[in-house]
Amino acid sequence: MPPLLREPLLHFLVLGSALFGLFSMVDKKDAEAPTKVTISASRVATLADRFARTWRRPPTEQELQGLVEDYIREEILYREGRAAGLDRDDFVIRRRVRQKMEFLAEDMAAAEPSEEQLAAYLASNPEKFITDDRLTFHQVFFKRNATR
């Protein structure tokens, strides 16, 4: 057997190249990024509703088509920007995400009930607040040898 085949560096390079080649064949980055932009009927209805709230009238067929095309353009640019890593280390995007999370937290936080509401709830659901009787006791310890 030639001495070159017994060299550990050669083994390392061959195994490393094989792992690199295997990883490039199995890499699924392309499968994660969808190539189609699909717009559901509910999304179109949301676009039309947003237009109607802004302009106080329903959109015409041509305006609705423009809204859909604008949404598609926005979605494509958003995906390409994320693929290019433009969303990382950007303080404006971080601030916007924080702002959205704060809005969500405010929406999810329930308003504090008043004393009257609490009293009415207690009166209508007394079984939820009944507790079992509890016993308490005190232990008294007597020393056997009082001289200690």
Side-chain angles (χ1 to χ4, degrees):
M1 206 173 185
L4 184 63
L5 291 178
R6 287 188 229 149
E7 187 66 37
L9 180 62
L10 179 66
H11 298 162
F12 176 76
L13 290 175
V14 169
L15 283 174
S17 299
L19 285 174
F20 184 74
L22 180 67
F23 179 74
S24 66
M25 289 189 321
V26 177
D27 189 19
K28 301 211 186 275
K29 280 188 179 178
D30 295 334
E32 292 175 5
T35 56
K36 286 185 176 180
V37 177
T38 306
I39 300 179
S40 64
S42 64
R43 175 62 64 183
V44 174
T46 302
L47 292 171
D49 183 52
R50 189 179 308 153
F51 181 91
R53 281 185 282 144
T54 302
W55 299 102
R56 299 181 193 268
R57 64 174 177 82
T60 64
E61 197 62 38
Q62 186 178 11
E63 289 169 333
L64 188 59
Q65 184 64 31
L67 290 171
V68 170
E69 289 173 4
D70 188 51
Y71 177 79
I72 292 171
R73 188 176 319 110
E74 178 182 318
E75 184 66 24
I76 291 171
L77 290 173
Y78 173 74
R79 289 179 186 181
E80 290 297 318
R82 284 202 49 177
L86 298 179
D87 60 331
R88 287 182 229 118
D89 300 328
D90 189 332
F91 74 95
V92 174
I93 292 175
R94 289 174 59 89
R95 187 181 311 143
R96 180 69 176 129
V97 170
R98 187 193 87 206
Q99 184 182 43
K100 286 184 84 168
M101 288 302 297
E102 288 172 352
F103 287 150
L104 283 173
E106 287 175 10
D107 287 345
M108 296 187 80
E112 290 289 323
S114 67
E115 289 293 325
E116 295 81 25
Q117 290 172 327
L118 290 174
Y121 185 78
L122 177 61
S124 63
N125 301 297
E127 68 279 353
K128 292 183 178 181
F129 301 99
I130 294 175
T131 59
D132 295 332
D133 292 336
R134 294 183 182 175
L135 297 174
T136 60
F137 66 93
H138 296 283
Q139 180 178 0
V140 179
F141 181 72
F142 295 103
K143 288 186 182 180
R144 195 166 231 194
N145 296 334
T147 59
R148 277 191 172 177

